[in-house]
Amino acid sequence: MTSVQVDKQHDGTDGAVGGGEGYQRGLGARQIQMIAIGGAIGTGLFLGAGKAISKAGPSLILAYAIAGLVIFFIMRALGELLMYRPVSGSFSEYAREFVGPFWGYVTGWTYWLFWVVTGITEVTAAAKYMAFWTHGSFPQWAFALIFTVILYGANLISVKLFGELEFWFSMVKVTAIVGMILICAGILTIGFSDAAETASVANLWNDGGFFPKGLGGTLMTLQIVMFAFLAVELVGVTAGESKDPKTVLPKAINTVPWRIAVFYVGALIMILSVVPWSEFQPGVSPFVAAFEKMGLGIGAAIVNFVVLTAALSSCNSGMYSTGRMLRDLALNGQGPKFLTKLTGNGVPLLGTTVSAALMLVGVWINYVAPGKAFDYVVSFATISGMWAWIMILVCQIRYRAKANRGELPESGFKAPGAPFTSWFALAFIGMVIVMMGIDPDSRVALWPGAPVWALIMGVSYLVLKARNPQGAAFVKRS
């Protein structure tokens, strides 16, 4: 990295390389807030919580609360970096600056692959959810194709349209959870519906106690819990296209605690109070199960629509983030140069197109060979998503050390308790990975990640070595 590049990168808010990102700042406070909220609510909550409840019982509430605190530490670490230098490349850009070009390369391509894989799974899931209404009369692959093309087209029009789509997708999810909480509160206080006879806060500890599967059972759900929070960091990718990043982004990040308290902890407390935890089954949405217990038949259709929305929201985010990440890599010489081009309205056309094309290939693969191998590839998303969190924390620790020495300007949004909170979050993520290796159900997530990571790191090494035989590109210069 040349000294000219470094000076330009520290110019404040305009871009990754010399303020030349070229994006339009079309995302307002309303859209950024809902993107931040929506990033914390997805299929991990609407569907994955069913399996987690069956493995941990009511203690899952505690697991979400502790993991939510860790997520807040991660987001505040990201916020400190964003206020130091808000760029669209986000954690890849910070990894490049504070750890070294090699790690920026690995982080960028890993995060890009994370969203491609996530987009593949979510658009396929959305197509499956449509079968609820069509009963198989319309081909699943056709729905997958339609959804992919629509979201691809929306992302090419403007970043503002992306923001509007994400705003309304998030609004549906938020409304559904708030509605569920209010209904459950009504059952517990007024006593209506079929669930009124057994509904009680005592359900949180009456059936085997708060830890019915022991502390070990709770720890084994951490992988599911952390997967549910993946994409919360997406707000960092929007930094280069926010109208007022230094005002909007801190407000969005500071809403993380109450979002987790309401949408995860609050929702689970209410659901598990109304319906005993032992009645939930893996693979069944706890929201659907709760509606059925209440005797509200329309609940299944409502939840199916909400889960469909969550899947489309995730795929929409994937379209957005992959195009920006590819362009950031290309701007820094770590990707094909043609990916740097923007359309007249500031959209990375080629980066988005390449990512969308790969998502279509994945849909085709899932159509012709929906076997275990595909499921194994999907599980790579958890590890690759957590890698982005690891790099955020490492970069924040290094940035804070430099800022304290006066080598870099201080951020206007310091992470409270850092660097100790960042070290704690790193230790927690390490524990989650260890627990994944111990748990037979989640151990499979580690195997597909190994060869993919070896490929990414191998290619990164060869490319950077060819461009810099002396090896200076692999380490961070002081």
Side-chain angles (χ1 to χ4, degrees):
M1 183 181 295
T2 66
S3 60
V4 174
Q5 286 176 314
V6 171
D7 291 340
K8 288 179 178 179
Q9 283 183 329
H10 294 166
D11 66 359
T13 63
D14 292 333
V17 182
E21 282 186 323
Y23 294 119
Q24 294 183 356
R25 294 191 178 273
L27 296 176
R30 173 178 61 90
Q31 295 162 325
I32 293 293
Q33 284 287 352
M34 291 307 290
I35 288 171
I37 291 173
I41 306 171
T43 52
L45 172 62
F46 290 116
L47 290 178
K51 179 179 180 181
I53 290 171
S54 67
K55 295 182 70 172
S59 65
L60 179 65
I61 297 169
L62 180 62
Y64 272 114
I66 295 174
L69 179 63
V70 172
I71 293 298
F72 179 62
F73 292 157
I74 294 170
M75 292 302 293
R76 284 303 301 260
L78 176 59
E80 182 169 337
L81 293 169
L82 287 171
M83 292 305 98
Y84 151 68
R85 189 162 65 88
V87 290
S88 187
S90 196
F91 14 91
S92 175
E93 188 69 23
Y94 300 133
R96 192 175 296 118
E97 178 179 353
F98 293 108
V99 188
F102 173 74
W103 298 106
Y105 198 131
V106 170
T107 300
W109 283 106
T110 298
Y111 196 69
W112 171 77
L113 184 59
F114 158 64
W115 273 113
V116 168
V117 171
T118 300
I120 290 171
T121 59
E122 297 291 8
V123 77
T124 302
K128 289 181 178 179
Y129 299 147
M130 290 300 296
F132 180 88
W133 291 290
T134 64
H135 305 289
S137 61
F138 198 76
Q140 177 180 310
W141 66 266
F143 276 124
L145 176 62
I146 291 171
F147 289 144
T148 303
V149 171
I150 290 175
L151 294 177
Y152 168 68
N155 271 269
L156 291 188
I157 294 174
S158 70
V159 66
K160 186 175 181 180
L161 181 57
F162 158 78
E164 281 300 310
L165 276 175
E166 204 56 33
F167 174 85
W168 290 108
F169 282 150
S170 297
M171 185 65 75
V172 170
K173 294 185 285 187
V174 169
T175 302
I177 295 177
V178 171
M180 168 64 80
I181 291 174
L182 292 177
I183 291 172
C184 290
I187 294 172
L188 289 170
T189 56
I190 302 174
F192 67 90
S193 92
D194 297 344
E197 292 184 4
T198 57
S200 171
V201 177
N203 285 330
L204 297 178
W205 58 81
N206 274 351
D207 191 2
F210 190 69
F211 292 91
K213 299 296 183 74
L215 181 61
T218 307
L219 292 175
M220 290 301 178
T221 65
L222 289 178
Q223 185 248 344
I224 301 172
V225 170
M226 296 301 277
F227 176 78
F229 288 124
L230 290 178
V232 69
E233 76 290 335
L234 181 65
V235 69
V237 183
T238 68
E241 294 170 274
S242 303
K243 289 181 180 178
D244 186 9
K246 287 190 176 291
T247 301
V248 173
L249 294 177
K251 288 182 178 179
I253 290 171
N254 278 335
T255 63
V256 169
W258 73 259
R259 282 187 271 138
I260 292 173
V262 173
F263 300 126
Y264 282 88
V265 177
L268 285 174
I269 288 175
M270 287 299 184
I271 289 176
L272 293 175
S273 294
V274 172
V275 182
W277 73 269
S278 56
E279 296 188 21
F280 292 101
Q281 301 297 324
V284 177
S285 169
F287 288 79
V288 173
F291 270 120
E292 290 178 346
K293 178 69 174 178
M294 297 172 196
L296 302 175
I298 195 175
I302 292 174
V303 173
N304 193 73
F305 175 72
V306 173
V307 174
L308 170 65
T309 301
L312 293 177
S313 171
S314 183
C315 189
N316 187 43
S317 298
M319 291 276 188
Y320 173 85
S321 60
T322 51
R324 273 71 182 170
M325 196 58 69
L326 280 183
R327 183 169 183 264
D328 173 72
L329 288 162
L331 280 173
N332 288 276
Q334 297 179 345
K337 195 172 183 179
F338 68 87
L339 294 175
T340 62
K341 295 181 180 179
L342 292 175
T343 63
N345 55 355
V347 173
L349 170 63
L350 296 177
T352 305
T353 301
V354 169
S355 302
L358 284 177
M359 290 180 190
L360 283 176
V361 170
V363 172
W364 175 78
I365 292 173
N366 188 54
Y367 170 70
V368 299
K372 284 288 185 180
F374 185 79
D375 294 334
Y376 295 164
V377 173
V378 171
S379 64
F380 172 73
T382 304
I383 295 295
S384 57
M386 287 197 295
W387 174 256
W389 295 344
I390 291 171
M391 293 312 300
I392 288 170
L393 295 166
V394 170
C395 291
Q396 187 273 335
I397 290 170
R398 294 202 168 192
Y399 162 71
R400 175 66 72 88
K402 282 180 168 289
N404 288 342
R405 294 195 299 265
E407 298 174 16
L408 291 175
E410 290 192 354
S411 171
F413 189 53
K414 287 186 176 181
F420 304 106
T421 51
S422 295
W423 283 113
F424 173 79
L426 282 171
F428 186 86
I429 293 173
M431 181 184 70
V432 172
I433 295 174
V434 170
M435 297 308 298
M436 289 176 66
I438 295 174
D439 185 5
D441 292 337
S442 58
R443 187 183 302 148
V444 66
L446 300 175
W447 293 111
V452 174
W453 263 50
L455 177 63
I456 291 176
M457 298 185 78
V459 171
S460 302
Y461 175 84
L462 292 175
V463 171
L464 292 178
K465 188 69 175 177
R467 293 179 178 177
N468 193 333
Q470 286 74 33
F474 299 95
V475 295
K476 173 67 187 74
R477 294 180 180 178
S478 61

